[in-house]
Amino acid sequence: MKIRLFCNAGMSTSLLVEKMKEAAKEEGLDADIVAYPLNELDRHIEGIDVALLGPQVGYQKKKSKQIADKHNVPLDVISMTDYGRINGKAVLEQAKKLISSKP
C-alpha cells in the first residue's frame, strides 16, 4: 500500500507519517508512507494507492484532485482534528477507506 501525504513543505507531516507507519505495523500491513511538499504532487502521484493533503493545503483540493484523477488515485484532505492530534491510526483508516472505494 503506497500512501503519500502532501503539505506545505513536506516536513510538518513527518510525525504523522511515523505514527501511521506504527499503526500499519500493528495491523500487519505493508505500507509505504512518505510526505512531500504539495508542489511535488505531480512528480509523486504515479503508482501510488492514495494521496492525502494536510489540512493547511486543503484549499488546493480541487486542483490536486484533477491531477490525482488523471492517475486514478483517490485524494482527500486529512481532518484538522486527526492531523492536530497526530492520530496516525485514524489517518491510516482514512487512507484504507479511500483505497477500498477506488473503482
Side-chain angles (χ1 to χ4, degrees), residues 13-24 33 86 88:
T13 55
S14 61
L15 282 173
L16 181 57
V17 165
E18 291 309 311
K19 292 291 186 181
M20 289 176 71
K21 287 179 179 179
E22 288 173 20
I33 308 168
I86 312 169

Side-chain angles (χ1 to χ4, degrees), residues 32-87:
D32 175 10
I33 308 168
V34 182
Y36 293 105
L38 182 60
N39 64 0
E40 294 184 15
L41 176 70
D42 56 343
R43 290 185 15 210
H44 297 285
I45 195 78
E46 196 162 324
I48 67 171
D49 296 305
V50 65
L52 296 171
L53 303 182
Q56 72 275 34
V57 294
Y59 68 95
Q60 294 275 15
K61 181 180 178 182
K62 185 177 179 180
K63 180 180 174 185
S64 300
K65 191 155 175 30
Q66 290 173 342
I67 295 168
D69 286 350
K70 288 178 187 174
H71 296 274
N72 195 31
V73 173
L75 177 141
D76 204 357
V77 179
I78 300 167
S79 85
M80 183 67 85
T81 304
D82 291 336
Y83 189 87
R85 291 182 178 164
I86 312 169
N87 189 340

